[in-house]
Amino acid sequence: MTARPLRVCFVVPYYAEGRESVDIDRYLSETPIHRALPRALAARGHQVQVVHLFPREVEWWEGGVRHHFVRAGRGARTLGHWVGRLRGRDRAYYEPAWRAIERVRACRPDIVHVHGATLNLNLHLLLRALGTETPVVLHYHGGYPSRHRLVRRLQRANFARAACYCFTTQEHAQPFVETGVIARPERVVELMETSSSFRPSEREPARALTGMQGDPVFLWVGRLHPIKDPLTALRGFERVLAAWPEAQLYLHYLSDECLPLLRGYLTERPALRAHVHPRGPAPFERMETIYNSADFLLQASLREFSGCAVLEAMACGTIPVVTDIPSFRRMTGDGQAGVLFPRGDDRALAAGVLALGRDQIASSARETRARFERELSFASLAARLEEVYAGIAAP
């Protein structure tokens, strides 16, 4: 731990539409970065508060952490509503979070940690309100340098004011470096975008609950979107099936853009179709059991800012079979846990899986979970952040 306990304030200057009626406990469960990471830091002896921009006012204490859910003022909500409608985005992108920012200042933090490095408006307002004395950490959760000259200037000013920037990998920071938004690349810190609080459990009891059966069981979780390249995953599974005829693949997807394509592929291959089970979306509270029912997770994404499904799977000891892209390389330790294959290469996908052998599935699952606990868990993120904070906090 650091030489002294710190007052840390996390800031969440954004919320998704439809949160007005969501139970706070459920909201924090579905966004574990805002629950588990503050708790992990508090467990290390720090005083931690979290200020959320939210559509209603709530005070919530949990695990030694105080959460402030702060509603924007009427004028800010009206502005956010109309600009959001005009731009076709959630209104919270455009709600000036003045009241939430005042709550941050009232916390008198030693460190301010902001989730959302490209939430340009509220980040700018927060940085102006804090002045130059309080160190600010920007935590990247997606987005790109703006194409608009004035917005990019605002981004450049925001990044210049921050003490450091957390990106999943150095590669994710490169667009900001190349466009000059990040003028000091040495301030980039590699830190996972999020993690998972899921735990491993016995496969057979989990399968009794989910009805997932196979030898082995493969799982897809995520959108059926071209950027996720589900057809490569399906073709790779088809090749595995030729060697492991008892294998089964279950698809849990949040959107179905590619579903007609997959159905067409399966229609032409009835033998394959008998082993593929499209199940659509599942409630968040069932996902831990679903992951624990599977031996392998298939992901063929062409790009990812992080990869929540892979983190959740690894937390349960489900072996990731994923594309060789920066975030997945980071998670798997360059393939030490799981299988990496080139984007679009279903032959390499199948070859990597078959090279493990069914007799190595149990040991590979243990290695997957061990890597998650050591490098990717919220406890490991908190330990890394403690080192980062120690380097930028005022003495």
Side-chain angles (χ1 to χ4, degrees):
M1 128 165 228
T2 54
R4 63 184 176 90
L6 295 171
R7 296 189 303 270
V8 180
C9 184
F10 288 93
V11 186
V12 189
Y14 164 79
Y15 60 88
E17 293 284 8
R19 292 294 186 183
E20 289 88 344
S21 60
V22 173
D23 176 78
I24 293 298
D25 182 66
R26 178 182 172 188
Y27 168 76
L28 290 174
S29 295
E30 293 177 352
T31 55
I33 187 71
H34 305 322
R35 165 178 264 171
L37 182 57
R39 289 184 67 167
L41 273 168
R44 298 181 71 87
H46 303 288
Q47 179 184 317
V48 184
Q49 301 189 65
V50 188
V51 177
H52 309 253
L53 180 65
F54 209 68
R56 55 195 174 94
E57 294 275 334
V58 182
E59 290 286 320
W60 182 275
W61 279 91
E62 180 183 79
V65 177
R66 184 178 185 181
H67 292 264
H68 309 262
F69 292 87
V70 183
R71 192 184 190 196
R74 179 176 297 180
R77 297 198 307 273
T78 300
L79 177 63
H81 170 77
W82 287 109
V83 177
R85 286 188 62 180
L86 181 66
R87 302 297 300 273
R89 303 185 74 181
D90 287 354
R91 66 178 184 265
Y93 278 110
Y94 308 104
E95 281 186 5
W98 289 304
R99 295 185 68 247
I101 290 168
E102 283 305 309
R103 193 71 59 89
V104 173
R105 294 181 64 191
C107 292
R108 300 177 57 247
D110 299 311
I111 298 283
V112 171
H113 185 130
V114 184
H115 288 293
T118 56
L119 297 172
N120 305 312
L121 171 63
N122 279 329
L123 182 55
H124 179 69
L125 295 176
L126 173 66
L127 293 171
R128 282 179 59 90
L130 290 174
T132 59
E133 294 184 2
T134 306
V136 175
V137 174
L138 301 187
H139 203 150
Y140 177 73
H141 292 287
Y144 295 98
S146 176
R147 297 179 180 179
H148 192 284
R149 181 174 56 86
L150 293 179
V151 177
R152 184 173 291 183
R153 182 181 298 176
L154 180 64
Q155 289 179 325
R156 189 176 295 116
N158 288 345
F159 275 83
R161 163 64 180 85
C164 67
Y165 335 110
C166 297
F167 285 81
T168 299
T169 68
Q170 292 284 343
E171 288 93 334
H172 287 90
Q174 277 306 111
F176 295 85
V177 175
E178 292 168 0
T179 55
V181 172
I182 292 179
R184 299 187 62 181
E186 68 274 12
R187 293 185 180 180
V188 174
V189 173
E190 286 195 342
L191 187 82
M192 289 304 302
E193 180 190 356
T194 186
S195 184
S196 174
S197 298
F198 287 175
R199 303 288 301 177
S201 64
E202 293 296 324
R203 294 287 188 252
E204 291 310 314
R207 290 176 183 178
L209 293 172
T210 61
M212 296 165 64
Q213 297 296 326
D215 183 21
V217 173
F218 289 79
L219 174 66
W220 167 281
V221 174
R223 295 181 295 150
L224 294 180
H225 186 279
I227 201 67
K228 305 291 186 180
D229 196 10
L231 188 57
T232 289
L234 183 57
R235 286 173 170 161
F237 173 74
E238 183 178 21
R239 293 181 182 278
V240 171
L241 188 62
W244 294 352
E246 301 301 317
Q248 302 286 334
L249 170 62
Y250 294 84
L251 306 174
H252 282 279
Y253 47 88
L254 300 176
S255 66
D256 59 3
E257 294 89 343
C258 291
L259 187 57
L261 177 65
L262 299 187
R263 282 178 172 162
Y265 190 86
L266 292 171
T267 297
E268 297 173 356
R269 296 162 176 81
L272 172 62
R273 184 174 58 194
H275 293 260
V276 179
H277 311 277
R279 288 194 164 185
F284 177 80
E285 54 269 21
R286 289 194 60 219
M287 289 308 302
E288 187 172 17
T289 307
I290 289 170
Y291 286 115
N292 275 305
S293 299
D295 298 297
F296 295 95
L297 177 80
L298 299 183
Q299 293 279 274
S301 302
L302 303 180
R303 66 172 183 267
E304 290 282 358
F305 294 128
S306 178
C308 291
V310 178
L311 286 166
E312 290 169 348
M314 293 182 69
C316 296
T318 305
I319 303 165
V321 181
V322 295
T323 37
D324 189 3
I325 59 177
S327 57
F328 293 166
R329 283 197 295 272
R330 171 78 190 283
M331 291 183 205
T332 64
D334 290 324
Q336 294 178 36
V339 174
L340 291 177
F341 62 92
R343 288 179 287 189
D345 192 339
D346 54 275
R347 289 179 181 273
L349 184 163
V353 171
L354 296 174
L356 284 177
R358 279 188 290 184
D359 60 341
Q360 297 180 47
I361 289 176
S363 60
S364 294
R366 289 192 294 270
E367 291 169 7
T368 295
R369 171 63 196 182
R371 174 165 179 80
F372 174 85
E373 193 66 36
R374 186 175 61 253
E375 303 289 344
L376 305 172
S377 65
F378 281 115
S380 67
L381 265 62
R384 175 67 179 122
L385 274 178
E386 195 173 64
E387 296 174 357
V388 172
Y389 295 163
I392 62 176

